[in-house]
Amino acid sequence: MINRGNELKLQLANPGILERYIKTLSPWFCGAFISSLIIGLWFAIFNSPPDYLQGETVRIMYVHVPSAWMALFIYSSMAVASLIGLIYGHLVAFIYAKSVAPIGAVFTLICLVTGSLWGKPMWGTWWVWDARLTSMFILLFIYLGFIIVSKSFNDPVKGDKISSIFALIGFINIPIIKFSVDIWTTLHQPATISKLDTPSIHTDMLIPLLIMFTSFVFLFLYIFSIRFFSELNLRRYVTYTLSSK
Amino acid sequence: MRIYRLIFLRELRKVFSYKANYIFSLMFYSSIIFLISIGLQGQDSILTNVAPSLIWVSIILVLFLSFEDIFHDDYYDGTLDIYLIENITLYGFSLIKSISHWLANCLPMIIITPIIGIFVNLDSEIIIPMLITLIIGTPALSFIGCMGSSLILSLKIHGLIMPIIILPLFLPILVFGIGALDVLIFNGFEELFLRQLALLAGISGLSIVFCPIASAYIIKANYD
């Protein structure tokens, strides 16, 4: 007798059933993304105070910070999925890791571009080779390396294994990004929200930031569901052509 | 143990005799140095400041090209299959490969670095620290490179993929290697130099321990 929660978990591990779940959920992801984006942008542009030091440019933060969070979150989840895939040899974990990598790369790129646009008026330069910026740039390269490795194998089974190992090797960079502002003295400011005591950001700025983050999460889920379908269908096609030979 | 010594000798004989890889890396190393020095029009003041970075960057560029065919030949001509049948562990095999790669490619470049230093106007007081950072830092490059080489083992389109995959893992070594020398040149702090050197040695040690394990696993994944 399997209990209810375990049954659901078993179902979600089956690619076909998971596909059905995601298919029903994906329009909701899209709707949630658009509505929270509109609310978040309204808060960020019209209904939040300008910073007393940085003035209106602080509004770049509402795109910059959530995309940086998403970039780190996606890579961490990718590494966890790769580990699960290597241990249990499960297809969904490999498909997850392979299909979210380009999304993470684009979020990293958005973070770098908006950061550089923010850096010009505030720091006076587009780019400095400082620890946080450099490690974020390395993250972009790790994403690109993962995409190249995962796409260049003809045999998907072999490619899954090898690209998962690559994802695990690249995970060293994530703690470096997180703690780079604490260890080295950098131009980039240290963490203000993810601290153990109360966040040192005002509530009027925190609310739009969190709404924007939610909308980015839903955007990620929506794009992931599309990519999940295409990747699954690709695997089906490969299996079909191999078995019909 | 004897069989590993024989494999090690075979690798050394291969790299130092008929393939003569080390000659090519030395030539390429010096040609990069010459190109950049001539490109900077031989201005002594600029060259003295950038000489350590120049040497580190050229060594990394040369190594990028040398990683391509570390496991390639053995994989395709069936030598690796024989090793696997003979119960030779892939860990030991990749360790031997990495060590022989270091001996064949990095060591000759480190040896001629004092001579290269004359051309880039390297400060004579920096030569000994420069050699120390190179000796401590380059094993990490070799071991990480061997791991990357096993990643692209069964791909048809290697070549320019390799640098992109390996680049992020090389950057810390470059940063700490040059950072140690910069501290010494511009500030003269021996203590900070030793601290950066300790970080560099830590990275080297970690990669010597973990990279052969990873590359053994990756090579094994190619046989599944």
Side-chain angles (χ1 to χ4, degrees):
Chain A
M1 185 72 189
I2 311 168
N3 63 16
R4 184 75 191 141
N6 232 343
E7 202 178 319
L8 184 70
K9 246 186 273 172
L10 283 177
Q11 279 184 351
L12 288 183
N14 181 330
I17 296 173
L18 183 63
E19 189 191 19
R20 231 182 298 145
Y21 271 105
I22 291 181
K23 211 166 234 170
T24 27
L25 283 177
S26 74
W28 294 98
F29 290 152
C30 185
F33 158 63
I34 291 172
S35 49
S36 59
L37 183 73
I38 291 167
I39 299 169
L41 279 181
W42 180 76
F43 263 107
I45 296 173
F46 301 111
N47 202 14
S48 69
D51 192 71
Y52 75 102
L53 263 180
Q54 309 193 348
E56 300 291 335
T57 51
V58 79
R59 299 187 199 288
I60 297 174
M61 179 184 77
Y62 302 119
V63 180
H64 175 74
V65 175
S67 55
W69 287 349
M70 285 310 290
L72 294 186
F73 159 71
I74 293 174
Y75 197 87
S76 313
S77 67
M78 235 169 78
V80 171
S82 304
L83 192 64
I84 291 173
L86 281 179
I87 293 170
Y88 299 109
H90 212 285
L91 187 65
V92 172
F94 288 132
I95 292 182
Y96 176 83
K98 196 180 172 187
S99 54
V100 298
I103 312 172
V106 172
F107 273 124
T108 317
L109 200 62
I110 291 172
C111 171
L112 286 172
V113 169
T114 51
S116 145
L117 289 174
W118 198 4
K120 183 64 185 170
M122 287 303 111
W123 300 340
T125 96
W126 297 108
W127 187 263
V128 270
W129 287 104
D130 135 301
R132 175 56 73 88
L133 280 69
T134 312
S135 51
M136 209 61 196
F137 199 53
I138 294 174
L139 181 68
L140 179 65
F141 268 89
I142 291 177
Y143 269 125
L144 293 180
F146 180 85
I147 295 167
I148 293 170
V149 171
S150 65
K151 279 193 189 300
S152 47
F153 284 89
N154 290 329
D155 177 10
V157 178
K158 201 189 279 182
D160 282 341
K161 268 193 174 177
I162 290 175
S163 54
S164 302
I165 299 166
F166 183 75
L168 288 179
I169 294 166
F171 186 69
I172 315 165
N173 193 30
I174 300 294
I176 295 178
I177 296 175
K178 175 73 185 79
F179 296 112
S180 58
V181 279
D182 304 329
I183 298 170
W184 290 283
T185 47
T186 58
L187 214 51
H188 196 284
Q189 60 168 353
T192 47
I193 293 169
S194 59
K195 290 192 302 190
L196 288 177
D197 47 347
T198 49
S200 55
I201 184 172
H202 195 264
T203 328
D204 288 348
M205 287 182 176
L206 187 62
I207 290 170
L209 191 60
L210 290 180
I211 296 174
M212 284 301 279
F213 179 61
T214 329
S215 100
F216 276 30
V217 169
F218 280 118
L219 173 64
F220 158 70
L221 287 173
Y222 181 56
I223 302 174
F224 162 67
S225 51
I226 297 171
R227 289 190 56 82
F228 180 78
F229 297 145
S230 63
E231 185 63 34
L232 202 60
N233 285 333
L234 186 73
R235 300 292 171 110
R236 276 178 189 145
Y237 176 71
V238 170
T239 322
Y240 176 72
T241 45
L242 283 178
S243 60
S244 62
K245 262 177 197 170
Chain B
M1 224 41 228
R2 188 169 160 271
I3 190 120
Y4 290 103
R5 202 167 65 231
L6 287 177
I7 296 174
F8 185 54
L9 285 177
R10 173 182 175 268
E11 292 302 325
L12 282 188
R13 215 172 289 134
K14 206 165 108 184
V15 279
F16 280 110
S17 63
Y18 66 94
K19 275 181 115 181
N21 273 345
Y22 65 104
I23 300 277
F24 292 124
S25 25
L26 286 183
M27 280 164 65
F28 196 61
Y29 175 45
S30 36
S31 60
I32 292 174
I33 292 281
F34 292 157
L35 271 179
I36 298 177
S37 321
I38 294 166
L40 289 171
Q41 299 185 326
Q43 296 174 32
D44 289 349
S45 52
I46 298 176
L47 277 177
T48 315
N49 287 335
V50 298
S53 324
L54 211 59
I55 289 172
W56 263 100
V57 170
S58 341
I59 285 181
I60 285 181
L61 280 178
V62 175
L63 288 182
F64 272 156
L65 295 178
S66 70
F67 289 132
E68 205 179 290
D69 54 351
I70 294 181
F71 295 109
H72 191 263
D73 290 349
D74 285 342
Y75 182 68
Y76 280 100
D77 68 5
T79 316
L80 209 48
D81 299 353
I82 304 288
Y83 286 167
L84 282 175
I85 293 167
E86 288 290 321
N87 277 330
I88 290 165
T89 55
L90 283 172
Y91 174 78
F93 176 66
S94 47
L95 191 70
I96 286 170
K97 276 284 185 185
S98 314
I99 293 171
S100 64
H101 178 270
W102 187 77
L103 287 176
N105 289 289
C106 297
L107 196 59
M109 284 198 280
I110 295 173
I111 289 170
I112 67 159
T113 295
I115 304 165
I116 290 287
I118 298 169
F119 294 103
V120 288
N121 207 14
L122 188 67
D123 201 346
S124 58
E125 290 170 3
I126 299 297
I127 289 180
I128 298 296
M130 176 97 225
L131 289 180
I132 293 172
T133 54
L134 283 178
I135 288 171
I136 290 179
T138 45
L141 300 179
S142 272
F143 277 77
I144 294 174
C146 279
M147 186 178 68
S149 177
S150 60
L151 273 174
I152 57 162
L153 187 56
S154 58
L155 293 185
K156 294 283 180 293
I157 34 164
H158 44 68
L160 288 175
I161 291 184
M162 185 68 204
I164 301 169
I165 295 173
I166 286 304
L167 176 75
L169 301 172
F170 273 14
L171 283 180
I173 302 155
L174 182 68
V175 167
F176 290 121
I178 295 174
L181 292 169
D182 269 1
V183 165
L184 212 58
I185 295 172
F186 293 112
N187 304 330
F189 294 138
E190 303 260 326
E191 206 174 305
L192 276 176
F193 170 70
L194 287 179
R195 199 185 292 169
Q196 303 250 21
L197 211 59
L199 275 169
L200 197 63
I203 296 173
S204 262
L206 276 179
S207 51
I208 287 173
V209 172
F210 286 114
C211 288
I213 300 175
S215 82
Y217 193 85
I218 298 165
I219 296 171
K220 215 177 133 222
N222 277 305
Y223 278 100
D224 285 344

